[in-house]
Amino acid sequence: MDPLVIENLAKRYVTRQRGEKKAVWAVKDLTISIPHGAIFGFLGPNGAGKTTTIKMMMGLTLPTTGNILILGKSQTSPSARAGIGFLPENPQFPPALTAQEVLAWTGRMMGMEGETLKKRVDALLARVRLNEVRHERIATFSKGMIQRLGIAQATLAKPALLILDEPLSGLDPPGRQMVTEILKEAREEGCTVFFSSHILSDVRALCDEVGLIVGGHLVKKGEIEAVFNLSGDDSPASLDQRFSEIIHTRA
Amino acid sequence: MRKILALSRITFLQGVRSRVFYTLLFFAGLLVLSTVVLNQMTVGDPTKIIQDLGLATLSLFSLLIILFIGAQIIGKDMETRSIYLILSKPINRAQYLLGRFLGLLSLLYANMAAFSIIILFILFLYSHTVKWSLLLSVGLTAMEMAILLAFLLFFFTFMTPTIAPFLVLSVFVIGHTTTEVKAIFAQKEGFYHLFSMALYYVFPNFDILSIQTEVVHNVPIPARHFIYGIGYGLALIILILILTHLVFRRKDF
């Protein structure tokens, strides 16, 4: 079975406008299956339903209808999350804690302990270039440092599935390159990666397959070249242009 | 259980490192020490003033920890979505609630223990005896604070971080006045009588947990009163936490 299977997923929110109830579908009829060891890019403009989908995958929001199977288990089961590394969009850590404390705590929550945990924390802090500030409080960290800490805590327990919401946002070019390398290394170790983005050039550099979500509907899925009709020499600017065109057509 | 303890340990650390905590600690320490000065200015038994003011300070400081530090930690979880990084770990929502509850409770009780020692020490300097019965009052106050902490978690499951602490404060005030309100309106008919009865039965009755006057004036406290207070508190905490879980388990983030 594929590590991530989503079937007919839908989420409806009920809002009130001038006293009248109005139903809004944030996600509708979403079906995706990600094979083992793949990097899947979940693309879409702001408000397309990417984060809502990810929140449903992590059990943070309950679906209105549909099923999500993570590593063969329902997403609501805590044991399913034992195999997942998760990075939310703009991660927030307790500002009073240090980077080392956050990673040690994450490890304990994931069932790691002792020397194994200590070695892994040391290795990851060095990998995301936070070793020098490991004992400093997160309140003093920049946005990029917090994002790198987020990547470290997501990959700490060497999960079978990584679910990342906009993992490259807030990073400078070296930071983006570092995260890209970490994700590629994770794939080489057999990890399946699902990540959302609205930056086509990032996705192109990483993904085996992409899905495009617009207005809560999955409108295209496949290899990025086929989905966006790309040629080999497209510049980042022309990629963005192509992305916008497709979104406007589909919207 | 290990995951609950890991979360409660982090909660304790967050609380201890909060700036608000040190500010509260400073003023509470000042208040307790002021009993020594007050003793010089008043007539009567100095130990009674130390006990009265010391226990009142302990209760107030504990309430402020809940209202400020508890609300800050839980509020940030909900408001800044730092809860995503907790709930995405292999724990269920009941474990999250218990972890946060126990972490804040340990912070609260560590401080109550420290202040109790300080009050007992000051008392010892005056009377040359250790008044252990003071700890009975502290024990029931600790139970009252645990109830308020459970209410804080409950209100945070469906209220905004700004409103939830005010609701906890309301529970504190109402819980200390329901007996009196019920007595005042006992002879009345109609709405006021029903309203006072509703307040009495819906809200916790903190008078059951208040034995400060008896302790200060050396009135013997029957063991069954203390045991009843502990039982009442524990039952209420379990009930509130179950209600909290029922609301929280279906909460969308």
Side-chain angles (χ1 to χ4, degrees), chain A residues 215-248:
Chain A
H217 295 265
L218 187 73
V219 293
K220 282 192 170 194
K221 182 175 173 286
E223 285 183 13
I224 192 163
E225 279 75 15
V227 168
F228 290 97
N229 298 321
L230 303 178
S231 61
D233 55 353
D234 286 304
S235 66
S238 66
L239 287 176
D240 289 342
Q241 177 68 27
R242 191 76 48 85
F243 189 33
S244 300
E245 284 167 11
I246 290 184
I247 288 164
H248 285 302

Side-chain angles (χ1 to χ4, degrees), chain B residues 41-136:
Chain B
M41 297 158 62
T42 51
V43 183
D45 185 356
T47 60
K48 286 199 168 46
I49 293 167
I50 294 167
Q51 290 176 71
D52 256 335
L53 205 60
L55 289 173
T57 305
L58 184 126
S59 178
L60 178 72
F61 176 55
S62 305
L63 177 68
L64 292 177
I65 285 187
I66 295 171
L67 293 181
F68 287 101
I69 298 172
Q72 189 185 46
I73 292 172
I74 309 294
K76 271 196 177 150
D77 271 0
M78 307 289 175
E79 214 171 31
T80 67
R81 311 289 166 90
S82 57
I83 200 167
Y84 287 6
L85 287 164
I86 304 174
L87 294 182
S88 61
K89 304 291 179 290
I91 61 165
N92 58 45
R93 294 192 178 192
Q95 286 173 306
Y96 165 81
L97 288 174
L98 276 178
R100 283 302 198 199
F101 179 76
L102 293 177
L104 287 168
L105 203 62
S106 57
L107 177 76
L108 203 59
Y109 284 1
N111 283 285
M112 290 182 89
F115 270 93
S116 301
I117 292 167
I118 294 169
I119 298 166
L120 283 174
F121 180 70
I122 296 173
L123 266 178
F124 179 77
L125 293 179
Y126 278 86
S127 63
H128 303 290
T129 53
V130 180
K131 188 171 180 179
W132 295 111
S133 62
L134 200 80
L135 295 180
L136 291 176

Side-chain angles (χ1 to χ4, degrees), chain B residues 2-66:
Chain B
R2 266 179 40 204
K3 287 169 187 167
I4 294 174
L5 290 178
L7 183 56
S8 57
R9 187 176 165 271
I10 282 288
T11 309
F12 182 85
L13 273 181
Q14 280 180 262
V16 162
R17 289 181 187 169
S18 161
R19 275 185 202 162
V20 182
F21 177 72
Y22 290 107
T23 313
L24 288 177
L25 204 65
F26 174 74
F27 283 107
L30 218 60
L31 260 172
V32 170
L33 291 175
S34 70
T35 55
V36 180
V37 181
L38 272 174
N39 270 332
Q40 310 299 319
M41 297 158 62
T42 51
V43 183
D45 185 356
T47 60
K48 286 199 168 46
I49 293 167
I50 294 167
Q51 290 176 71
D52 256 335
L53 205 60
L55 289 173
T57 305
L58 184 126
S59 178
L60 178 72
F61 176 55
S62 305
L63 177 68
L64 292 177
I65 285 187
I66 295 171

Side-chain angles (χ1 to χ4, degrees), chain A residues 1-6 31-41 69 71 160-162 186-187 190-195 207-211 221-223:
Chain A
M1 184 181 235
D2 288 335
L4 176 61
V5 179
I6 299 173
T31 298
I32 303 174
S33 186
I34 316 293
H36 181 79
I39 298 185
F40 184 87
L69 287 177
L71 307 168
L161 175 64
L162 269 173
R187 174 173 54 185
C191 178
T192 306
V193 182
F194 178 100
F195 83 93
C207 294
D208 305 303
E209 204 180 17
V210 296
K221 182 175 173 286
E223 285 183 13

Side-chain angles (χ1 to χ4, degrees), chain A residues 3-4 34-42 54 57-58 70-71 80-88 106 110 120 124 149-167 178-196 206-207, chain B residues 85 88-89:
Chain A
L4 176 61
I34 316 293
H36 181 79
I39 298 185
F40 184 87
F42 197 43
I54 287 176
M57 286 157 67
M58 295 310 302
I70 289 176
L71 307 168
R81 292 196 288 277
I84 304 176
F86 173 59
L87 175 73
T106 302
M110 301 300 282
R120 184 72 181 140
L124 267 173
L149 179 61
I151 290 287
Q153 64 82 35
T155 53
L156 182 81
K158 297 193 174 177
L161 175 64
L162 269 173
I163 296 175
L164 315 167
D165 196 358
E166 305 278 359
M178 185 189 71
V179 172
T180 305
E181 282 167 11
I182 289 174
L183 296 185
K184 284 179 177 170
E185 284 163 18
R187 174 173 54 185
E188 281 164 20
E189 289 172 9
C191 178
T192 306
V193 182
F194 178 100
F195 83 93
S196 77
L206 268 169
C207 294
Chain B
L85 287 164
S88 61
K89 304 291 179 290

Side-chain angles (χ1 to χ4, degrees), chain A residues 11 55 61-62 81 101, chain B residues 17 80 91 93 252-253:
Chain A
K11 180 67 186 179
K55 285 199 287 186
T61 294
L62 294 172
R81 292 196 288 277
E101 284 166 347
Chain B
R17 289 181 187 169
T80 67
I91 61 165
R93 294 192 178 192
D252 272 353
F253 290 98

